[in-house]
Amino acid sequence: MLNLVHLKVLAAVARHGSVTEAARELHYSQPSVSHHLSRLEAATGAQLVQRIGRGIRLTPEGRLLAHRAAEIVGRVDAAATELAAQVGLQAGVVRLAANASTLATIVPQAAAVLAEAHPGLQLGLVDEHPVEALRMLRHGEIDVAVVFSHADGPVEEGFRLRHLGDDPVHLVSREAGDRLENHRDSGWIGGCARCQEELGAVCARAGFRPRIASLSDDMVVVQSLVAAGAGVAILPGLALEAHRRPGVHATETGFRRRIHAATYGDPPDPPAVAAVLAALTEVASGALA
């Protein structure tokens, strides 16, 4: 039978690529870490690590089990958090990840609503893009992920999405009433991989492919570059609500991001998580179309 402590050790070794670093994180001795790995290999009947000089590396079987171990350990930690929150919503932290534009607008307002309704609860916040936020959610590192997408698509098994609203995407340039078609040959300021996919989809509607001249995920930097004539960009309405620089103009493109609050696992949500979702829904109803 698999032992949770052994799995926790394997996950730490995989995360750090080192017995020494795993021992430091877990506050174990190095021989203790090696002992746990040996016991896990005995329990599974598989070689999980290989000796490479003075170090080690995971075998394919070790990498497979380590991936699941991270998820299992994360879910156990999440269960402990949920149980604490279950006791009367008196205290505890709900961990939430969101991207910058949402974290600067909807989330702080939801935190204020939550504080009024449940003063014992707190939000622990992390700034992450949707892909990483969903990975953290699956592994139990957070409880809620606020994510965006630009098209409906299949939902990966295990995730449950609550649609909070749609956020209009704007062309940001130095001209009022500007049009996408005016910038077929302009340099564009791109962002993360998902943001660049969104930019490509927006420009494709206008019949061209954008030429990426600069890269930044920072809404302040993007607008400063546009104001300086270094390119044009697209930004969602929430980003423009969070920060609006003089000297730039925003024109709606007709394109919208779909904003969701995601949780993981079977319903119902724990009371603390449900309270956070209710606060996000209340705020988003007034902030998003």
Side-chain angles (χ1 to χ4, degrees):
M1 180 179 294
L2 296 179
N3 180 291
L4 184 61
V5 173
H6 298 164
L7 293 177
K8 187 174 183 179
V9 168
L10 179 64
V13 170
R15 188 160 51 250
H16 294 287
S18 163
V19 168
T20 301
E21 293 302 319
R24 182 175 291 113
E25 177 192 322
L26 298 171
H27 303 290
Y28 291 169
S29 66
Q30 292 185 41
S32 179
V33 169
S34 298
H35 173 72
H36 285 304
L37 291 175
S38 296
R39 293 289 300 273
L40 186 57
E41 287 185 327
T44 59
Q47 182 181 1
L48 303 176
V49 297
Q50 294 175 318
R51 301 292 174 183
I52 306 296
R54 294 186 176 182
I56 65 167
R57 70 180 178 192
L58 296 184
T59 64
E61 295 80 6
R63 290 194 297 272
L64 174 65
L65 184 58
H67 175 74
R68 291 301 183 189
E71 181 176 343
I72 291 166
V73 172
R75 298 315 302 170
V76 170
D77 290 343
T81 301
E82 291 170 4
L83 183 59
Q86 177 77 31
V87 184
L89 292 173
Q90 296 295 320
V93 177
V94 177
R95 304 160 300 171
L96 181 149
N99 68 303
S101 63
T102 309
L103 206 57
T105 52
I106 292 175
V107 173
Q109 296 175 52
V113 170
L114 187 69
E116 183 174 352
H118 303 286
L121 285 180
Q122 298 179 14
L123 277 179
L125 303 176
V126 182
D127 184 351
E128 285 292 356
H129 289 297
V131 172
E132 180 62 16
L134 291 175
R135 183 203 66 77
M136 293 176 69
L137 184 61
R138 175 181 285 280
H139 286 176
E141 298 169 19
I142 57 173
D143 307 296
V144 180
V146 180
V147 298
F148 66 85
S149 62
H150 61 261
D152 289 326
V155 178
E156 190 177 345
E157 183 179 356
F159 292 108
R160 290 181 289 117
L161 303 182
R162 176 181 294 203
H163 182 218
L164 298 178
D166 295 339
D167 190 11
V169 174
H170 297 75
L171 166 66
V172 181
S173 70
R174 296 200 293 178
E175 300 293 331
D178 209 351
R179 294 170 56 84
L180 289 167
E181 292 83 353
N182 297 338
H183 296 284
R184 293 176 181 273
D185 301 318
S186 298
W188 287 80
I189 303 163
C192 66
R194 177 165 291 202
C195 297
Q196 289 189 50
E197 288 178 9
E198 182 178 73
L199 173 60
V202 170
C203 291
R205 285 189 175 183
F208 69 95
R209 177 178 295 179
R211 176 176 63 84
I212 306 297
S214 304
L215 292 173
S216 177
D217 288 328
D218 190 312
M219 67 188 84
V220 177
V221 172
V222 169
Q223 292 182 55
S224 295
L225 290 173
V226 171
V232 293
I234 60 169
L235 284 175
L238 290 177
L240 293 166
E241 179 183 333
H243 173 78
R244 187 66 173 269
R245 190 192 191 284
V248 302
H249 295 274
T251 309
E252 283 203 32
T253 63
F255 203 85
R256 292 176 178 271
R257 284 182 174 182
R258 294 179 62 80
I259 309 295
H260 300 277
T263 53
Y264 186 79
D266 295 331
D269 293 307
V273 172
V276 171
L277 294 176
L280 287 168
T281 302
E282 178 181 336
V283 170
S285 65
L288 297 172

